[in-house]
Amino acid sequence: MNVLECRNLTKNYGSKTALDSVNITLESGRITGLLGPNGSGKTTLIKLACRLLVPTQGDISICGNQPGVETKKIVSYLPDRNYLPEWMNCRDLIYLYEDFYEDFDTQRAVDMIRSLNIDHKIPMKKMSKGTKEKLQLILTMSRRAKLYLLDEPIAGVDPAARDYILHTILSNYDEDASILISTHLIADVESVLDEAIFLKEGKVILQDSVDSIREQSGKSLDEHFREVFRCWES
Amino acid sequence: MSWTFKSDQPIYIQIVERIEIRIVKGEYPPGSKLPSVRELALEAGVNPNTVQRAYADLEQNGFVRTERTSGKYVTDDAEMLISLRKSLSSKYIEELFVRMTELGYSEKEVIEAVKAAKGEN
């Protein structure tokens, strides 16, 4: 069964169209990159999948269900900004996740936090930006979800932290789970992706496997992206 | 640390070549067990499906075999290993010729240049 399916999905904000008749299917066991420049509709798509937004037109379904209570049980979502209470420390956050999610694997979270040497007692507001992002990713990936929606998981952190984050993603997902990673930092995620979706001004302009894009264009995904989204005429 | 990949080739093909080199070098000796898909994916910093595809490719060419339930093994067929070594070496030689031809060398000049470079060292 398809983990995520969008049919003619459209979202307007007033007169502005953020997503325009998008058709996407994600199979299980795949890591897909949702790639596009700023303002292309990446976050809108992810928010529709979490029912933080409702479609203007069209359908979106997760394992056959409309986004809602049932899908929230199986979707683990990492927003593009910190949404957790800043006064909480690691322990508080682990309790919070345990309370909210049946599929939260506490031991997995504790082990990863330990390996990062984060002090259990300091609140989030005293952590560096990189540490906060790593911590949020650890919490997100510690759920045994069917679908992980990661909105810009590597933006704003240094290259070493990026490697850590990608390693954490690769080492923590179950084989039948799917991951959708939105980013514009393509060179960094390219080697972990099965598939790429290019979004441009709210439209899907390409969905294909990364290997076949490389084969057909003779270029890396990053180079191909730069060509497709070039900002000037030569 | 993750592996680095060339941009003009599918990643799985580059992984196949790395594994072939490790087999020829003896890093993965004949008949030995290969790392699991997951282990190698983490080492290379790539998607497990990509490693799966590389292993399938190696298996199709007979350099790797699957033992049910226990994983992937390097072939212990000596002839296969010799032919693998040969095919890697002819690939490198071909690359050398392609590059030298770009520089305007004839075949004969390439061979002379190789001999001369070896004599110098």
Side-chain angles (χ1 to χ4, degrees):
Chain A
M1 196 200 308
N2 290 322
V3 174
L4 177 74
E5 198 165 346
C6 302
R7 254 171 299 144
N8 295 319
L9 186 66
T10 300
K11 177 68 189 174
N12 298 331
Y13 297 119
S15 61
K16 192 184 177 308
T17 302
L19 281 182
D20 190 356
S21 304
V22 164
N23 291 296
I24 289 173
T25 48
L26 295 190
E27 292 163 36
S28 67
R30 315 276 279 167
I31 303 181
T32 305
L34 183 61
L35 313 173
N38 300 318
S40 55
K42 305 189 293 290
T43 296
T44 298
L45 179 64
I46 287 179
K47 284 187 171 170
L48 286 165
C50 298
R51 211 182 158 76
L52 296 173
L53 295 171
V54 277
T56 309
Q57 256 175 16
D59 276 324
I60 181 164
S61 65
I62 291 156
C63 296
N65 290 315
Q66 304 271 311
V69 178
E70 283 307 309
T71 67
K72 281 170 202 254
K73 284 184 189 166
I74 53 169
V75 174
S76 190
Y77 167 50
L78 179 72
D80 61 348
R81 67 192 63 175
N82 185 21
Y83 63 105
L84 296 166
E86 290 265 321
W87 57 266
M88 285 193 171
N89 62 27
C90 292
R91 188 167 300 152
D92 300 326
L93 290 166
I94 285 176
Y95 289 149
L96 182 74
Y97 264 72
E98 274 181 346
D99 285 345
F100 267 91
Y101 300 111
E102 284 169 356
D103 61 357
F104 186 68
D105 184 339
T106 307
Q107 194 54 46
R108 181 147 51 155
V110 168
D111 289 345
M112 282 194 274
I113 289 170
R114 195 168 288 150
S115 76
L116 270 179
N117 292 320
I118 302 177
D119 185 342
H120 266 282
K121 293 181 208 83
I122 66 163
M124 273 198 115
K125 63 170 172 270
K126 289 196 176 153
M127 293 174 190
S128 73
K129 187 174 161 105
T131 304
K132 263 188 230 178
E133 299 218 355
K134 282 183 239 174
L135 182 57
Q136 288 177 75
L137 182 84
I138 287 173
L139 292 167
T140 309
M141 295 308 296
S142 293
R143 288 185 53 195
R144 303 214 174 249
K146 285 263 171 283
L147 174 64
Y148 298 88
L149 298 171
L150 311 178
D151 199 355
E152 296 285 2
I154 54 169
V157 299
D158 64 75
R162 276 178 208 174
D163 283 349
Y164 174 84
I165 285 172
L166 293 174
H167 185 88
T168 304
I169 293 171
L170 281 177
S171 50
N172 284 292
Y173 89 108
D174 296 326
E175 264 164 46
D176 58 342
S178 281
I179 305 180
L180 186 66
I181 304 176
S182 98
T183 188
H184 51 258
L185 298 165
I186 295 161
D188 289 307
V189 298
E190 159 148 28
S191 62
V192 311
L193 300 179
D194 284 300
E195 261 182 50
I197 296 170
F198 279 17
L199 269 185
K200 187 179 189 179
E201 292 161 12
K203 290 194 171 83
V204 173
I205 57 169
L206 177 72
Q207 178 174 9
D208 205 350
S209 85
V210 173
D211 276 334
S212 101
I213 293 172
R214 280 170 168 255
E215 232 151 5
Q216 280 167 23
S217 67
K219 293 191 190 77
S220 68
L221 194 61
D222 184 54
E223 288 164 343
H224 191 59
F225 180 90
R226 284 168 201 258
E227 202 155 276
V228 172
F229 294 104
R230 191 162 54 182
C231 297
W232 67 88
E233 302 295 321
S234 65
Chain B
M1 198 43 235
S2 318
W3 298 355
T4 50
F5 297 100
K6 288 183 281 183
S7 62
D8 55 350
Q9 238 185 2
I11 290 173
Y12 84 94
I13 291 178
Q14 299 181 53
I15 292 175
V16 166
E17 192 176 326
R18 298 252 193 154
I19 298 170
E20 287 174 346
I21 291 168
R22 286 183 175 184
I23 291 173
V24 169
K25 274 163 70 178
E27 212 171 305
Y28 298 148
S32 69
K33 190 173 188 305
L34 286 163
S36 72
V37 166
R38 230 188 164 91
E39 269 166 12
L40 197 66
L42 285 176
E43 185 197 327
V46 302
N47 188 305
N49 292 325
T50 311
V51 174
Q52 187 68 55
R53 192 166 173 196
Y55 275 175
D57 200 275
L58 286 160
E59 195 166 353
Q60 205 164 29
N61 289 321
F63 304 131
V64 163
R65 66 188 153 78
T66 304
E67 228 138 84
R68 258 195 307 162
T69 70
S70 70
K72 309 269 183 202
Y73 290 80
V74 178
T75 180
D76 42 20
D77 180 339
E79 267 173 48
M80 284 302 292
L81 294 168
I82 292 167
S83 86
L84 175 60
R85 185 159 175 258
K86 265 192 196 151
S87 86
L88 280 173
S89 94
S90 43
K91 194 162 115 192
Y92 294 153
I93 290 169
E94 197 184 317
E95 271 172 27
L96 174 73
F97 272 102
V98 168
R99 285 178 184 238
M100 295 295 275
T101 315
E102 273 173 8
L103 297 180
Y105 278 70
S106 70
E107 237 173 74
K108 205 176 140 216
E109 282 174 318
V110 176
I111 292 163
E112 274 164 14
V114 169
K115 277 184 188 156
K118 229 192 146 228
E120 275 167 21
N121 297 332

